Amino acid sequence: MSNAKKIVEFFKKSGIDPVGSAVWDRESLNHLVFISVEINDKGKQIPSNFKLSLVEKSAEAEFGKISVVLVNRGDEDIANSIKSLLFRRYSDDVRNVFSKVQDGRVTVWIDTKGASSKDKTTEMMQTVIGLLEYFDLKLDSFVNTSELNLPSETICVSAIRQKAPVLPNDVIEELRRRGFEVPGEDWLLRILDKWRKRGLIHRKSNGTFLMTVRGLRALGSGKNRRSPDVARALDLARRAQ
Amino acid sequence: MEAIKPHFGERDAFARSAFNRYYYSAFLNIREMLGALDSSWSSLPHKSYPEVLQGQVKKKFNRARSRASRNDDTVLVDRIDTAKRALDELAKMMSTAYGIRVVADYEPNEAVDFNARPRFALRSVDISDAHDWENNTRLLCQSVENTWNEIHV
């Protein structure tokens, strides 16, 4: 019996029924085993990734390198329902939808045809939440990849790191330049105040903000071309010109 | 004009070629994203993509996540978690697409199933699903890149 057949038998004996025979991948020099998965009524994948990994490792010990290929995601019914609902109801707005069910929680990514308003995104999200109730599932996150995001606290402070000493208005300008939506100065000051009280940034009497050593440690650094220290050095050089 | 019906061999070859092309469209999206994240990831062998996505790329996100968590930045923590889920999906999609491409290219004795619904399938993967690989990888790559740009500024 060939190794490909033995591998399939091995999986069957372990309670996993592969789709078709194992295939020798001459580019990567290993066997590919195709497995179909489904999602049970509790939102769990069957067979589980844990079981798949155990059987894969045992098979590898006997037959050499094996790659398990999942030929469906098991959650197509739910994913297709979400997709068709959004396409049907928001045909002028939605370009693409992708969703994933994991442990009873659903993540949805959408791409819109143009810049859509926050209200529209919230409306679409509520529509999906309504649908998921029928499946007894919860929405974990709803991501509109075309939408301008509110900046996270880390990115607000990293703008200070680059531009310090800097006024809040200049931080807002920098964040908007980076493609973020900033509601206003009060919103930003609330965040900066929180970081200032923890001693991570310092506010000078002239209203400008700068980093403390503790703040620099909290943000960390990097040894690559996108290192924040390099970004600051380049920014200082630009300002000196 | 009269449409000419392809004979069985041609029909099979056209179908295999479609799976092959959908694989490359997904592969190119991910390669472009990896190159934008780090230029050293732009020329990796095809087979290593799932490993890199779930290994090196995820490791960078994990490091940023623990830092954001230490700084109580819950918004960034949530965004990183979502980006990590996108990475898992991209890895899974690449692994499936790669496997199907290997069958399409190197297993000529395995016929394409033209009785499958809704269209035609190879190894239980319908061509409609393969058609979505390009759109879905583009969407997920965008999500990963957006979050990457937030943690590498």
Side-chain angles (χ1 to χ4, degrees):
Chain A
M1 197 192 285
S2 70
N3 258 3
K5 281 184 182 159
K6 284 181 192 164
I7 291 168
V8 170
E9 284 306 311
F10 187 94
F11 271 78
K12 279 184 180 168
K13 274 184 195 153
S14 309
I16 297 172
D17 202 1
V19 178
S21 57
V23 170
W24 175 247
D25 176 9
R26 62 195 73 187
E27 290 176 20
S28 310
L29 305 177
N30 65 1
H31 278 97
L32 304 177
V33 182
F34 295 76
I35 309 285
S36 179
V37 294
E38 58 183 65
I39 301 287
N40 69 9
D41 50 10
K42 288 178 184 146
K44 299 263 185 199
Q45 180 188 297
I46 305 289
S48 66
N49 286 329
F50 180 70
K51 183 168 185 183
L52 282 171
S53 161
L54 272 185
V55 178
E56 184 183 6
K57 281 199 179 102
S58 317
E60 278 186 336
E62 211 161 313
F63 306 105
K65 189 94 179 86
I66 287 170
S67 289
V68 167
V69 176
L70 303 183
V71 290
N72 65 42
R73 305 184 301 124
D75 57 358
E76 283 82 0
D77 284 352
I78 299 157
N80 287 336
S81 300
I82 294 171
K83 196 171 186 172
S84 67
L85 174 70
L86 289 175
F87 273 131
R88 214 172 47 240
R89 205 170 285 183
Y90 303 99
S91 54
D92 293 338
D93 303 297
V94 176
R95 179 179 287 131
N96 193 21
V97 179
F98 181 79
S99 50
K100 174 66 193 164
V101 182
Q102 195 171 15
D103 299 330
R105 303 188 73 84
V106 182
T107 306
V108 180
W109 289 267
I110 65 162
D111 178 23
T112 48
K113 287 176 182 166
S116 61
S117 66
K118 275 258 183 287
D119 289 349
K120 184 63 95 181
T121 304
T122 309
E123 188 189 318
M124 287 191 256
M125 186 175 78
Q126 290 303 332
T127 305
V128 171
I129 290 172
L131 174 76
L132 292 179
E133 280 171 7
Y134 289 105
F135 291 101
D136 209 16
L137 295 167
K138 294 251 180 304
L139 184 72
D140 198 42
S141 57
F142 189 90
V143 184
N144 180 352
T145 57
S146 328
E147 190 180 77
L148 292 181
N149 271 329
L150 282 179
S152 61
E153 292 184 14
T154 304
I155 204 153
C156 293
V157 179
S158 70
I160 292 179
R161 179 184 197 162
Q162 185 175 327
K163 299 277 176 191
V166 63
L167 286 163
N169 263 337
D170 295 330
V171 174
I172 292 174
E173 196 181 302
E174 172 64 14
L175 292 170
R176 287 185 178 147
R177 191 191 62 77
R178 292 183 190 178
F180 291 98
E181 187 185 66
V182 186
E185 195 172 326
D186 287 348
W187 179 88
L188 178 70
L189 284 175
R190 265 198 301 277
I191 290 174
L192 299 187
D193 218 34
K194 185 178 144 192
W195 283 65
R196 185 184 58 76
K197 282 177 183 163
R198 288 166 55 205
L200 301 170
I201 53 175
H202 175 71
R203 185 176 185 272
K204 287 172 76 175
S205 54
N206 63 3
T208 57
F209 283 88
L210 38 90
M211 300 297 300
T212 62
V213 173
R214 205 167 147 205
L216 286 171
R217 285 199 188 118
L219 286 183
S221 190
K223 292 176 186 167
N224 51 40
R225 69 189 171 93
R226 300 187 74 166
S227 159
D229 299 321
V230 173
R232 169 141 178 93
L234 292 173
D235 197 78
L236 282 171
R238 260 194 300 273
R239 276 186 269 167
Q241 278 173 359
Chain B
M1 260 177 48
E2 192 187 344
I4 301 167
K5 198 175 173 184
H7 66 70
F8 181 79
E10 278 178 340
R11 192 171 64 155
D12 196 76
F14 286 144
R16 282 170 194 283
S17 157
F19 280 107
N20 177 296
R21 281 177 285 119
Y22 287 139
Y23 163 75
Y24 276 100
S25 63
F27 166 79
L28 291 172
N29 279 341
I30 299 178
R31 187 176 72 171
E32 191 182 334
M33 175 199 73
L34 285 174
L37 305 191
D38 188 327
S39 52
S40 67
W41 291 334
S42 57
S43 53
L44 298 164
H46 289 223
K47 187 66 174 60
S48 66
Y49 272 50
E51 285 163 32
V52 172
L53 292 166
Q54 291 191 295
Q56 296 174 61
V57 183
K58 217 171 179 180
K59 203 169 152 189
K60 301 253 184 196
F61 276 113
N62 283 336
R63 202 173 295 157
R65 190 192 185 281
S66 35
R67 197 173 290 145
S69 176
R70 267 202 309 275
N71 293 331
D72 292 330
D73 190 345
T74 50
V75 170
L76 188 56
V77 167
D78 285 348
R79 284 179 191 164
I80 292 174
D81 285 342
T82 307
K84 282 166 62 184
R85 277 196 288 277
L87 284 173
D88 287 339
E89 287 311 303
L90 284 169
K92 249 184 244 175
M93 227 177 271
M94 265 317 270
S95 157
T96 304
Y98 178 83
I100 293 300
R101 203 264 300 171
V102 169
V103 175
D105 287 354
Y106 301 120
E107 299 291 320
N109 293 331
E110 183 164 341
V112 173
D113 178 8
F114 287 100
N115 295 316
R117 289 286 171 269
R119 291 158 77 193
F120 58 88
L122 190 60
R123 282 282 164 129
S124 299
V125 174
D126 197 88
I127 195 65
S128 305
D129 293 331
H131 174 265
D132 286 341
W133 290 339
E134 199 277 329
N135 275 335
N136 291 341
T137 49
R138 189 152 34 83
L139 182 59
L140 294 170
C141 285
Q142 188 60 56
S143 175
V144 171
E145 216 175 319
N146 286 351
T147 310
W148 182 270
N149 288 335
E150 275 203 70
I151 61 175
H152 292 88
V153 286

XYZ file of all heavy atoms in Angstrom, chain A residues 114-180:
525
model
N -17.578 53.438 -0.965
C -16.979 54.759 -0.757
C -16.839 54.963 0.731
O -17.037 54.018 1.498
N -16.519 56.185 1.130
C -16.435 56.451 2.562
C -17.849 56.418 3.122
O -18.717 57.165 2.677
C -15.798 57.813 2.793
N -18.116 55.527 4.053
C -19.464 55.459 4.627
C -19.445 56.117 6.011
O -18.417 56.139 6.681
C -19.922 54.008 4.739
O -19.069 53.305 5.587
N -20.597 56.623 6.413
C -20.658 57.325 7.702
C -20.656 56.309 8.833
O -20.985 55.141 8.643
C -21.923 58.173 7.768
O -23.046 57.318 7.778
N -20.299 56.807 10.022
C -20.312 55.952 11.222
C -21.722 55.403 11.462
O -21.898 54.249 11.829
C -19.910 56.783 12.450
C -18.423 56.892 12.674
C -17.981 55.931 13.792
C -16.507 56.064 14.093
N -15.626 55.525 13.093
N -22.734 56.280 11.208
C -24.119 55.862 11.434
C -24.488 54.684 10.539
O -25.164 53.749 10.950
C -25.081 57.033 11.141
C -24.975 58.103 12.215
O -24.334 57.809 13.246
O -25.502 59.210 12.014
N -24.035 54.758 9.289
C -24.347 53.675 8.339
C -23.696 52.366 8.800
O -24.311 51.301 8.760
C -23.842 54.085 6.943
C -24.177 53.118 5.843
C -25.654 52.941 5.606
C -26.167 53.832 4.498
N -27.596 53.697 4.263
N -22.435 52.469 9.250
C -21.740 51.263 9.726
C -22.464 50.682 10.936
O -22.664 49.468 11.029
C -20.276 51.598 10.100
O -19.654 52.183 8.967
C -19.502 50.354 10.502
N -22.897 51.562 11.850
C -23.614 51.092 13.045
C -24.928 50.423 12.631
O -25.313 49.393 13.184
C -23.909 52.283 13.993
O -22.685 52.977 14.195
C -24.458 51.819 15.319
N -25.605 51.019 11.646
C -26.875 50.442 11.176
C -26.646 49.034 10.599
O -27.384 48.100 10.905
C -27.450 51.363 10.087
C -28.858 51.004 9.649
C -29.274 51.824 8.424
O -28.977 53.036 8.379
O -29.878 51.223 7.511
N -25.568 48.892 9.812
C -25.266 47.583 9.229
C -24.937 46.580 10.330
O -25.345 45.418 10.284
C -24.087 47.698 8.258
C -24.445 48.385 6.953
S -23.136 48.210 5.735
C -22.406 49.817 5.775
N -24.213 47.052 11.333
C -23.829 46.172 12.442
C -25.074 45.693 13.192
O -25.197 44.513 13.501
C -22.896 46.934 13.390
C -22.328 46.086 14.493
S -21.143 47.003 15.480
C -22.234 47.955 16.497
N -26.021 46.621 13.415
C -27.262 46.242 14.109
C -28.043 45.214 13.289
O -28.650 44.299 13.843
C -28.142 47.486 14.361
C -27.580 48.447 15.406
C -27.333 47.787 16.761
O -27.994 46.825 17.123
N -26.350 48.279 17.494
N -28.015 45.372 11.968
C -28.709 44.423 11.091
C -28.112 43.028 11.260
O -28.833 42.030 11.346
C -28.559 44.872 9.609
O -29.025 46.212 9.518
C -29.336 44.000 8.669
N -26.776 42.971 11.340
C -26.104 41.671 11.501
C -26.419 41.084 12.875
O -26.700 39.882 12.993
C -24.572 41.820 11.296
C -23.848 40.544 11.682
C -24.262 42.181 9.857
N -26.417 41.928 13.905
C -26.723 41.438 15.260
C -28.124 40.802 15.281
O -28.328 39.733 15.848
C -26.622 42.583 16.303
C -25.153 42.981 16.482
C -27.225 42.170 17.650
C -24.927 44.225 17.331
N -29.055 41.458 14.597
C -30.422 40.931 14.517
C -30.456 39.549 13.875
O -31.131 38.635 14.361
N -29.684 39.400 12.811
C -29.642 38.102 12.117
C -29.012 37.040 13.013
O -29.500 35.899 13.080
C -28.839 38.241 10.809
C -28.590 36.940 10.069
C -29.843 36.464 9.350
C -27.455 37.091 9.063
N -27.928 37.397 13.682
C -27.199 36.410 14.493
C -28.040 35.858 15.643
O -27.816 34.739 16.097
C -25.894 37.020 15.035
C -24.818 37.323 13.991
C -23.589 37.936 14.643
C -24.426 36.071 13.216
N -29.024 36.665 16.094
C -29.882 36.183 17.178
C -30.628 34.915 16.752
O -30.856 34.022 17.561
C -30.888 37.268 17.580
C -30.235 38.288 18.501
C -31.103 39.499 18.759
O -32.275 39.499 18.324
O -30.586 40.460 19.376
N -30.987 34.832 15.456
C -31.678 33.626 14.959
C -30.779 32.399 15.058
O -31.231 31.282 15.200
C -32.116 33.805 13.502
C -33.261 34.769 13.340
C -33.057 36.041 12.844
C -34.563 34.390 13.706
C -34.106 36.940 12.694
C -35.616 35.276 13.569
C -35.388 36.551 13.072
O -36.422 37.425 12.944
N -29.480 32.608 14.913
C -28.526 31.487 14.978
C -28.013 31.264 16.407
O -27.168 30.403 16.624
C -27.314 31.771 14.068
C -27.620 31.756 12.604
C -27.784 32.936 11.891
C -27.724 30.551 11.916
C -28.041 32.926 10.531
C -27.976 30.530 10.556
C -28.147 31.723 9.854
N -28.504 32.105 17.344
C -28.043 32.033 18.724
C -26.528 32.290 18.821
O -25.808 31.619 19.553
C -28.388 30.659 19.321
C -28.592 30.759 20.836
O -28.764 31.895 21.313
O -28.551 29.716 21.503
N -26.070 33.258 18.051
C -24.649 33.620 18.053
C -24.493 35.073 18.469
O -25.427 35.849 18.380
C -24.054 33.430 16.645
C -24.009 32.005 16.102
C -23.714 32.027 14.613
C -22.972 31.180 16.836
N -23.278 35.423 18.916
C -23.007 36.811 19.335
C -21.993 37.441 18.382
O -21.089 36.764 17.891
C -22.405 36.824 20.743
C -23.344 36.340 21.837
C -23.765 37.511 22.712
C -24.693 37.130 23.837
N -25.915 36.447 23.450
N -22.174 38.754 18.160
C -21.206 39.468 17.325
C -19.997 39.852 18.174
O -20.149 40.453 19.233
C -21.841 40.726 16.720
C -20.948 41.505 15.754
C -20.772 40.757 14.442
C -21.510 42.886 15.478
N -18.817 39.476 17.714
C -17.605 39.798 18.456
C -17.050 41.146 18.004
O -16.785 42.022 18.805
C -16.568 38.689 18.230
C -15.497 38.734 19.285
O -15.832 38.934 20.448
O -14.312 38.587 18.930
N -16.872 41.294 16.697
C -16.483 42.615 16.195
C -16.956 42.790 14.760
O -17.146 41.811 14.023
C -14.975 42.848 16.314
O -14.282 41.860 15.648
N -17.154 44.046 14.390
C -17.655 44.408 13.067
C -16.697 45.461 12.526
O -16.615 46.570 13.054
C -19.076 44.982 13.214
C -19.785 45.189 11.915
C -20.561 44.188 11.354
C -19.681 46.403 11.246
C -21.224 44.388 10.157
C -20.344 46.607 10.046
C -21.114 45.598 9.495
N -15.926 45.086 11.526
C -14.854 45.968 11.043
C -15.181 46.481 9.648
O -15.379 45.687 8.726
C -13.510 45.192 10.967
C -12.377 46.110 10.559
C -13.206 44.522 12.288
N -15.238 47.801 9.524
C -15.375 48.394 8.196
C -13.978 48.879 7.797
O -13.496 49.879 8.324
C -16.374 49.553 8.243
C -16.542 50.209 6.886
O -15.815 49.907 5.943
N -17.501 51.099 6.775
N -13.339 48.165 6.872
C -11.932 48.467 6.565
C -11.775 49.791 5.814
O -10.675 50.316 5.729
C -11.285 47.351 5.718
O -12.040 47.176 4.537
C -11.198 46.049 6.477
N -12.891 50.313 5.248
C -12.773 51.578 4.508
C -13.056 52.783 5.387
O -12.969 53.918 4.940
C -13.767 51.621 3.350
O -13.997 50.375 2.835
N -13.452 52.535 6.614
C -13.877 53.645 7.465
C -12.686 54.269 8.187
O -11.763 53.572 8.580
C -14.852 53.094 8.497
C -15.556 54.128 9.301
C -16.491 53.444 10.298
O -16.007 52.946 11.314
O -17.692 53.394 10.029
N -12.753 55.588 8.381
C -11.716 56.238 9.169
C -11.926 55.845 10.622
O -13.041 55.905 11.130
C -11.809 57.761 9.031
C -11.483 58.356 7.674
C -11.591 59.871 7.730
C -10.073 57.966 7.245
N -10.868 55.438 11.280
C -10.962 54.998 12.666
C -10.682 56.123 13.641
O -9.923 57.038 13.330
C -9.907 53.921 12.920
C -10.427 52.554 12.605
O -11.615 52.295 12.742
N -9.534 51.682 12.199
N -11.279 55.989 14.818
C -10.828 56.852 15.919
C -9.442 56.344 16.287
O -9.218 55.137 16.326
C -11.743 56.668 17.128
C -13.090 57.346 17.133
C -13.820 56.997 18.425
C -12.929 58.849 17.035
N -8.495 57.238 16.563
C -7.168 56.733 16.928
C -7.192 56.080 18.309
O -7.938 56.524 19.180
C -6.303 57.996 16.927
C -7.239 59.135 17.035
C -8.561 58.700 16.512
N -6.401 55.042 18.483
C -6.294 54.429 19.811
C -5.435 55.342 20.684
O -4.745 56.235 20.177
C -5.640 53.053 19.695
O -4.352 53.193 19.157
N -5.456 55.107 22.002
C -4.665 55.953 22.912
C -3.182 55.864 22.558
O -2.460 56.862 22.586
C -4.874 55.487 24.355
C -6.277 55.754 24.845
C -6.461 55.383 26.309
O -5.450 55.171 27.000
O -7.619 55.323 26.753
N -2.743 54.653 22.240
C -1.318 54.449 21.938
C -0.877 55.319 20.770
O 0.199 55.918 20.804
C -1.059 52.956 21.619
O -1.509 52.185 22.724
C 0.400 52.686 21.358
N -1.730 55.399 19.747
C -1.311 56.174 18.577
C -1.333 57.669 18.876
O -0.508 58.431 18.350
C -2.125 55.788 17.325
C -1.312 56.126 16.091
C -3.457 56.470 17.262
C -1.613 55.302 14.917
N -2.238 58.115 19.753
C -2.254 59.535 20.139
C -0.934 59.895 20.821
O -0.313 60.916 20.511
C -3.401 59.821 21.115
S -5.025 59.641 20.387
N -0.512 59.017 21.731
C 0.715 59.309 22.475
C 1.944 59.137 21.576
O 2.929 59.867 21.704
C 0.793 58.419 23.739
C 2.068 58.693 24.512
C -0.410 58.681 24.622
N 1.856 58.192 20.633
C 3.016 58.011 19.742
C 3.207 59.238 18.838
O 4.327 59.522 18.405
C 2.875 56.730 18.922
O 1.864 56.880 17.980
N 2.100 59.975 18.594
C 2.235 61.220 17.818
C 2.997 62.256 18.637
O 3.809 63.020 18.108
C 0.854 61.741 17.430
N 2.757 62.241 19.960
C 3.510 63.148 20.848
C 4.984 62.748 20.832
O 5.877 63.591 20.754
C 2.951 63.082 22.289
C 1.552 63.690 22.305
C 3.881 63.799 23.272
C 0.885 63.671 23.636
N 5.209 61.450 20.872
C 6.588 60.950 20.881
C 7.367 61.471 19.665
O 8.523 61.844 19.762
C 6.543 59.424 20.850
C 7.906 58.805 20.836
C 7.793 57.302 20.713
N 9.031 56.676 21.100
C 9.148 55.415 21.424
N 8.110 54.625 21.408
N 10.316 54.923 21.754
N 6.679 61.480 18.543
C 7.362 61.910 17.310
C 7.546 63.426 17.255
O 8.576 63.916 16.829
C 6.562 61.433 16.093
C 7.272 61.725 14.785
C 6.528 61.148 13.594
O 5.902 60.094 13.699
N 6.575 61.830 12.476
N 6.533 64.168 17.722
C 6.536 65.620 17.497
C 6.967 66.463 18.705
O 7.054 67.674 18.605
C 5.122 66.070 17.081
C 4.613 65.437 15.803
C 5.141 66.195 14.618
C 4.743 65.567 13.312
N 5.459 66.132 12.179
N 7.156 65.838 19.866
C 7.385 66.576 21.119
C 8.540 67.574 21.022
O 9.530 67.277 20.350
C 7.673 65.574 22.236
N 8.416 68.728 21.694
C 7.241 69.204 22.432
C 6.159 69.682 21.458
O 6.468 70.371 20.481
C 7.794 70.368 23.251
C 9.000 70.841 22.498
C 9.541 69.674 21.749
N 4.913 69.311 21.735
C 3.861 69.555 20.748
C 2.555 69.989 21.424
O 2.217 69.510 22.509
C 3.668 68.276 19.875
C 3.194 67.093 20.698
C 2.738 68.511 18.710
N 1.826 70.868 20.754
C 0.529 71.317 21.259
C -0.559 70.329 20.818
O -0.429 69.696 19.754
C 0.201 72.704 20.691
C 0.990 73.874 21.292
C 0.889 75.106 20.396
C 0.473 74.197 22.709
N -1.640 70.212 21.610
C -2.715 69.277 21.246
C -3.220 69.469 19.812
O -3.496 68.494 19.111
C -3.806 69.582 22.264
C -3.080 70.104 23.448
C -1.893 70.849 22.917
N -3.333 70.725 19.367
C -3.831 70.959 18.004
C -2.930 70.350 16.942
O -3.397 69.852 15.915
C -3.938 72.466 17.746
C -5.354 72.934 17.986
O -6.292 72.130 17.923
N -5.516 74.212 18.283
N -1.613 70.398 17.204
C -0.673 69.805 16.247
C -0.730 68.273 16.275
O -0.486 67.615 15.279
C 0.756 70.296 16.537
C 0.867 71.801 16.308
O 0.120 72.317 15.442
O 1.650 72.457 17.015
N -1.067 67.730 17.469
C -1.246 66.264 17.564
C -2.444 65.868 16.704
O -2.400 64.895 15.942
C -1.472 65.821 19.039
C -1.789 64.332 19.101
C -0.246 66.140 19.880
N -3.526 66.662 16.818
C -4.741 66.369 16.038
C -4.418 66.412 14.540
O -4.808 65.525 13.771
C -5.867 67.373 16.391
C -6.318 67.122 17.835
C -7.038 67.260 15.422
C -7.323 68.131 18.365
N -3.674 67.432 14.153
C -3.318 67.573 12.735
C -2.513 66.352 12.252
O -2.760 65.802 11.188
C -2.474 68.837 12.574
C -2.360 69.319 11.136
C -1.490 70.570 11.082
O -1.828 71.558 11.754
O -0.478 70.516 10.372
N -1.569 65.910 13.114
C -0.735 64.763 12.762
C -1.584 63.481 12.642
O -1.422 62.688 11.724
C 0.372 64.594 13.819
C 1.207 63.316 13.702
C 2.015 63.229 12.420
O 2.158 64.253 11.728
O 2.497 62.126 12.097
N -2.524 63.321 13.583
C -3.371 62.122 13.550
C -4.256 62.121 12.304
O -4.451 61.082 11.669
C -4.238 62.044 14.812
C -3.472 61.777 16.115
C -4.381 61.967 17.326
C -2.905 60.356 16.119
N -4.777 63.285 11.946
C -5.623 63.381 10.734
C -4.787 63.102 9.495
O -5.247 62.455 8.559
C -6.301 64.741 10.657
C -7.429 64.840 11.687
C -8.223 66.123 11.598
N -9.311 66.092 12.583
C -9.779 67.140 13.216
N -9.270 68.344 12.988
N -10.763 67.025 14.086
N -3.524 63.552 9.512
C -2.629 63.295 8.382
C -2.400 61.788 8.222
O -2.262 61.278 7.127
C -1.297 64.013 8.616
C -0.358 64.062 7.419
C 1.024 64.551 7.785
N 1.704 63.694 8.740
C 2.277 62.534 8.446
N 2.261 62.098 7.215
N 2.867 61.821 9.385
N -2.414 61.077 9.359
C -2.217 59.619 9.312
C -3.501 58.864 8.982
O -3.531 57.643 9.011
C -1.687 59.122 10.661
C -0.277 59.577 10.971
C 0.176 58.968 12.286
N 1.409 59.548 12.759
C 1.990 59.218 13.912
N 1.427 58.322 14.688
N 3.112 59.785 14.280
N -4.580 59.592 8.734
C -5.827 58.945 8.277
C -6.798 58.606 9.392
O -7.660 57.742 9.214
N -6.665 59.235 10.550
C -7.598 58.965 11.641
C -8.632 60.077 11.758
O -8.398 61.208 11.327
C -6.852 58.833 12.971
C -6.004 57.594 13.032
C -4.646 57.662 12.757
C -6.562 56.363 13.324
C -3.857 56.519 12.781
C -5.787 55.225 13.353
C -4.427 55.306 13.083
